[in-house]
Structure formats: C-alpha cells, structure tokens
Amino acid sequence: MNVLKSYVSPTRISQPASLKGKAGRHLAGTSIKRLVRVFVAWKLLLLLAACASPGSGYDTSTQILFDQSRSGSGSHSWLARAFEYVVLRLTRWDGIYFATAADRGHIYEQQWAFSWLMSKFSALVARVLFSTFSLSPIAKHALAGILISHLSHFFAVTTIYRLIYTLAPANDARKRQLAFITACLHTVSPAGLFLSAPYGEATFALFNFLGLLCYVTAIQNRFERYADAYQVDAFWTLAAGMWFALATMVRSNGLLSGILFAWDALATVPRLNNLIRNRDAEELVRLSATLVAGTVMIIGFAIPQSIAYAEYCIPTATRPWCSAFPPSIYTFVQSHYWNVGFLRYWTVPNIPLFALAFPLGWIMVETAIPSFFQAHHINRAVNGSCEADRKLQPYPPLPVTSEERVFQYMLPRLALPQVVLVGLAATTSHCQILNRISSGYPLWYFIIALEVCLNNGYGAGWSEDNSVAERERLRRGEGRRQQKQQRDGMFRLMGDYDRLPWAKPEWIVRGMMVYAVVQGGLFASFLPPA
C-alpha cells in the first residue's frame, strides 16, 4: 500500500521524472537555457566594448543628428544622457540611415539602399514603445532598431538551433551537441556589433533561418509516403517562400535563397512531360508550390521597388533608373552613390579590405566544397557510422534512413547560395561586408561545429557513449596518424571527409570572437571596418 500511495501522491505527479547523472549533465550542457546564458553574456561583452570605446568618434554625425532632432524639447537629465550615449555608440555608419529613414521616411534617393521594411517596422516600434521616452526623436527610432536587432538575433540563435537539430541525421545527444555549438557560433559571429546595432543583418538571419527550417520540413515530407505528404510539402514550401520574401525585403542578398526553388524546379524539367502525360497530381502540386514560392520571393523584392517607382517615376520619369529594365532604385543607388559594380572595387587602396574579408570567404568556400562532393561522408561523420559499417556499404555509401536522405539532399542546396555570396562579395560589392552578411547562412557554422566535435577526440560517437579512457587516449595523440591520413589531400573527393586540414576549429572560433570584440570597439568610434 505504501508503494501505491507513493505513485498516486500529488508530490510525485507534480514532479515528473528527469534525467540524472551523465545524461542529465549532457542535456543541461546543450540546452536552450544554457544557450540563452551564452547569448546574454556575449551581448553584454560587446556592449561593454562599444561603451568603453574612447572619444566621441571619428565622425560626429550621429551626435549632431541627435542634438538637432532634440530641438530643445528633450530632457537633459543624466539618465537620459546616459541612455542616449549607449544608443549613440551603436548608431554608426549605415545605422544612421536606418534611424533617419525610420524617423522621417525615405526622403533622399540614396536612403532606398536601406531596407524600407526595417524602417517602417522600427518606426512602428518607436511609436508604440518609446513615445514617452525622454530621448530625441531619432534616438528613439535608433533605440527601436537596436531592440529589433537584439530580439531578432536571439530568435535567430534559437531558430538555427532548431534547424540543425531537425537536419542532423544522428541520435538525440549528437543532434543537441551539434545544434548547440552551431547556435553558439552564430552568437559569436564575426558580424559582431552589427547584429546589435540598428542594421538589418540580425533580422535577415532570422527570416532566412525560418525559411530554411520551413524548407527542410517540406523536404522531410517530400521523402515520406503517407497520403497527404505532398500537401504538407506544398504548405511548408509556400511558408518558406514567404519567410524568404521577408528576408529579401530586409537585404537583397535574400534573393540567393531562391536558388533552392530554382534548383528544385530545374530538377523537375526533364520529367515534366511524363508528369503531365501521367497526370501525376502530387508532383505537379509540389512543382506549383515551388514556382509560387519563388514568385512570392520576387514580389517581396519588388514591393519596395514599386513604392519608389511610384514616387520618382509617376507621372514623370525624373530619374535615369526609371527607364531601366527592370527599374530598380536599389541597383541604381548602389551603383551611383556607392560605386558598386563588377570589379569596381578592385583597386590598390582596397587591398587591405580584401585581406580582411579573405579568411571568412575562404572558410565559406572551404566548408561548401565537401558539402557539394562529400555529403555522404559528412553524413557518416555526423551519425557516427563505425568502421565496420563503412566496409559493408557500397561506394558511394547510400543514405539508409529518410533523415539521412534529407540531410544529403540539403547540404549542396545550402552550399550553393553560400558560394555565390562569396563570389558576389569578391567581384561586385564591397568585399568587407562579407564578414557581416555571412551571418545569415548556416552551413559554415554547422561544418565548423562538426569540426569542433570531431577535433576534440569525440570520434564517431562523440557524445556520452564514448568512454572517458577513449577520449583521453585520443587527446594524448594516439591514433592521430589515422586522422591525419583522413585529412591529407584537400581535394581528394573520393576519400573520407577531408575536414579542414589547414586550421584547427578552435583557432577559427577564437579568431571570430577576437575579431568581433575589436570590431565592436572600432565600430563605436566610427572607424572601419564597416
């Protein structure tokens, strides 16, 4: 009877069972709660670096704008001044454009280079939340942009955690570890203070990750065989298109995510006649959803362009871009005001900026190459296939589970937009912005996270199923010859996953963190890089 009482007691019912020991520690070590602590600590560190930056800054434009917009009506209390000082340190470079456009609208033509959607949203947040704050009007709109960036970055971190957990073909422990490390890497991204300032990078990352998560969910249903799988696939494909459209309205490089839809549509073209002849409703619905999702993305990019066209080109075409095809104000102002164009940035004075962007550009290309050619080996590295299993598999090893099929399907589709972004940054845009716009692309974070797991002696079973003795043996260097043999030959595409033989992942992570902190101090003083 005492046993029965213990099972039906309210105390026992109100306290569900929880994992204990090693399993519980692993779960706590890769949890969202711990990720939140890492995020808050990192944001506070960057904010401290910005506030400790000496002087009024190389350029005092922000202070002048704040003073002018105050017009003697704002409070001059020490608290308002202190609060405005923090906002001022984060409103630098393009942040001035975002804040003024949110406050006054897109008055000048060059302001259309900065997200119309972000400006409208910042204006709404400032009006709803900060209307009673004793700050200058522009400072209120800058504060709204800062709040949006922090919230967007936080939700982007949790979204990429969910994305990698959903995508990785492994057991729960490995999924959590890969997702946690990937999310931490996005937290300490080289974008640094740009993910806290009134910029669009954090919001773009959030929308792009949400679009990718919806797309992965659609692909999961594409490999299923239950009756309504194609309808669920179509729904999530359309949802991905809407999130990508929002990402495109924040940053134009969101159009690169349309490569996913273009790839799927082109892959269907050879079978299109048979699909129509056989009236394959499921495949035609999937194709239609893909085409509609791509169209929604294009509409997302076209909406701000249409608003600008109505302002500048109707009824009289007053600007040269009005007669271009397509008439894009964004493309014109980037070329006219910032000299963006093919190889225009290739000048001797810009060599230091290319050197600044080169390490991250190389990382992004280096992590994309195995995703194109060695997806099956990355799959084995993630799911921890043992050597005996590998010998029994044909070459190339075929995915066994639907999770593995989705993973190998997604890797090259994640790699291609990343490579195209690097190519555009190197040839067409201001190359140094690669260090911040790369923050919205998850693949390179994921590959480095995988490297961290493999490089720290966790091997095929890097989670709790490895014994302490085995980990210590690997840390002491035993078995390094075999690991070196696996790494030799960067372009040995027919061998095991080649890893990143030119650098340890720990060095990459430390370099990212140091760069972000130094960049934060320079950013607050209005000093390059930007």
Side-chain angles (χ1 to χ4, degrees):
M1 291 298 295
N2 290 333
V3 174
L4 292 176
K5 287 181 180 180
S6 68
Y7 271 94
V8 298
S9 66
T11 304
R12 183 179 182 90
I13 294 174
S14 63
Q15 295 178 355
S18 58
L19 294 174
K20 302 293 184 181
K22 186 183 294 185
R25 289 194 301 271
H26 176 82
L27 185 63
T30 57
S31 66
I32 294 292
K33 289 183 179 180
R34 188 184 181 200
L35 189 60
V36 170
R37 293 196 294 270
V38 172
F39 179 86
V40 172
W42 179 250
K43 286 297 184 181
L44 290 175
L45 177 62
L46 289 182
L47 186 61
L48 178 63
C51 292
S53 182
S56 58
Y58 176 77
D59 190 314
T60 58
S61 301
T62 311
Q63 185 65 67
I64 293 172
L65 285 171
F66 283 10
D67 293 339
Q68 287 178 345
S69 66
R70 187 179 295 109
S71 301
S73 59
S75 172
H76 296 275
S77 68
W78 68 269
L79 182 60
R81 287 291 186 182
F83 210 81
E84 194 167 282
Y85 174 83
V86 176
V87 176
L88 182 144
R89 302 311 252 180
L90 296 179
T91 311
R92 302 298 197 185
W93 297 96
D94 294 348
I96 297 175
Y97 283 98
F98 280 105
T100 54
D103 181 34
R104 306 167 182 171
H106 284 65
I107 299 175
Y108 303 106
E109 190 177 49
Q110 62 268 30
Q111 288 178 312
W112 287 90
F114 307 96
S115 174
W116 174 86
L117 177 64
M118 282 293 298
S119 298
K120 294 300 181 183
F121 189 42
S122 295
L124 176 64
V125 172
R127 185 167 60 252
V128 173
L129 297 182
F130 305 130
S131 59
T132 61
F133 277 38
S134 57
L135 297 172
S136 63
I138 290 184
K140 293 178 184 178
H141 289 84
L143 179 60
I146 293 169
L147 176 63
I148 292 170
S149 290
H150 277 81
L151 290 177
S152 296
H153 190 200
F154 171 75
F155 287 115
V157 167
T158 57
T159 302
I160 196 174
Y161 181 100
R162 186 61 190 176
L163 173 63
I164 300 304
Y165 184 88
T166 302
L167 188 60
N171 60 38
D172 181 74
R174 294 193 187 99
K175 280 175 174 287
R176 288 181 179 275
Q177 192 160 24
L178 277 171
F180 179 81
I181 296 175
T182 304
C184 287
L185 290 175
H186 177 61
T187 301
V188 301
S189 166
L193 212 61
F194 289 98
L195 297 174
S196 303
Y199 272 67
E201 272 69 15
T203 308
F204 168 80
L206 172 61
F207 290 158
N208 201 46
F209 293 161
L210 284 170
L212 290 172
L213 182 58
C214 291
Y215 182 78
V216 169
T217 306
I219 300 305
Q220 286 178 331
N221 286 275
R222 196 167 300 178
F223 285 101
E224 297 293 340
R225 290 293 177 264
Y226 63 90
D228 298 329
Y230 72 99
Q231 297 177 4
V232 180
D233 177 1
F235 170 81
W236 286 110
T237 299
L238 293 174
M242 289 187 286
W243 284 118
F244 288 148
L246 290 173
T248 302
M249 294 179 73
V250 175
R251 285 204 60 91
S252 62
N253 53 286
L255 288 170
L256 297 180
S257 297
I259 291 175
L260 301 174
F261 302 134
W263 191 326
D264 289 344
L266 291 174
T268 309
V269 169
R271 301 182 289 116
L272 187 58
N273 287 334
N274 290 334
L275 295 180
I276 296 174
R277 186 183 305 113
N278 298 330
R279 297 181 181 181
D280 191 334
E282 294 187 6
E283 289 296 326
L284 290 175
V285 167
R286 289 190 177 102
L287 177 60
S288 300
T290 299
L291 295 176
V292 172
T295 304
V296 169
M297 278 194 62
I298 296 173
I299 292 174
F301 179 77
I303 287 175
Q305 313 301 315
S306 301
I307 295 171
Y309 187 86
E311 179 177 338
Y312 286 92
C313 306
I314 298 176
T316 304
T318 59
R319 299 298 296 156
W321 61 268
C322 294
S323 57
F325 184 81
S328 172
I329 188 173
Y330 177 82
T331 304
F332 173 77
V333 299
Q334 286 282 2
S335 174
H336 184 72
Y337 294 99
W338 281 276
N339 197 35
V340 171
F342 185 67
L343 301 185
R344 290 186 184 180
Y345 215 57
W346 286 32
T347 61
V348 173
N350 288 331
I351 290 178
L353 297 177
F354 277 96
L356 191 70
F358 178 80
L360 185 56
W362 180 254
I363 289 173
M364 295 180 74
V365 172
E366 185 82 7
T367 54
I369 288 176
S371 301
F372 281 123
F373 303 106
Q374 298 178 311
H376 46 283
H377 292 309
I378 299 177
N379 175 27
R380 295 195 304 188
V382 170
N383 64 37
S385 299
C386 66
E387 194 63 32
D389 293 336
R390 297 179 186 182
K391 291 178 181 179
L392 296 175
Q393 293 177 348
Y395 191 89
L398 299 176
V400 177
T401 65
S402 61
E403 198 173 41
E404 291 180 1
R405 289 197 293 272
V406 172
F407 182 73
Q408 293 188 201
Y409 182 94
M410 283 298 304
L411 276 185
R413 285 166 170 77
L414 292 175
L416 186 54
Q418 182 172 294
V419 171
V420 173
L421 181 72
V422 175
L424 291 175
T427 59
T428 305
S429 64
H430 297 174
C431 62
Q432 74 276 8
I433 70 170
L434 182 65
N435 289 327
R436 54 186 174 93
I437 64 176
S438 62
S439 58
Y441 295 83
L443 179 65
W444 67 276
Y445 296 122
F446 170 73
I447 296 297
I448 295 176
L450 178 59
E451 288 289 325
V452 169
C453 291
L454 296 175
N455 203 65
N456 280 276
Y458 300 132
W462 64 64
S463 58
E464 75 283 351
D465 50 358
N466 261 32
S467 65
V468 175
E470 177 68 10
R471 293 188 184 187
E472 290 301 322
R473 185 186 71 83
L474 290 170
R475 286 195 182 100
R476 289 196 304 269
E478 299 176 26
R480 293 293 183 184
R481 179 178 301 177
Q482 181 181 0
Q483 292 184 3
K484 183 177 184 302
Q485 290 173 352
Q486 292 178 356
R487 298 179 190 180
D488 287 343
M490 181 53 213
F491 296 100
R492 194 188 66 221
L493 304 179
M494 303 304 291
D496 280 342
Y497 168 47
D498 285 324
R499 313 278 299 280
L500 302 177
W502 51 274
K504 291 183 178 180
E506 291 83 358
W507 297 349
I508 298 175
V509 177
R510 291 166 190 162
M512 289 167 54
M513 297 177 69
V514 170
Y515 177 85
V517 173
V518 173
Q519 174 232 62
L522 294 174
F523 177 93
S525 293
F526 222 125
L527 294 172

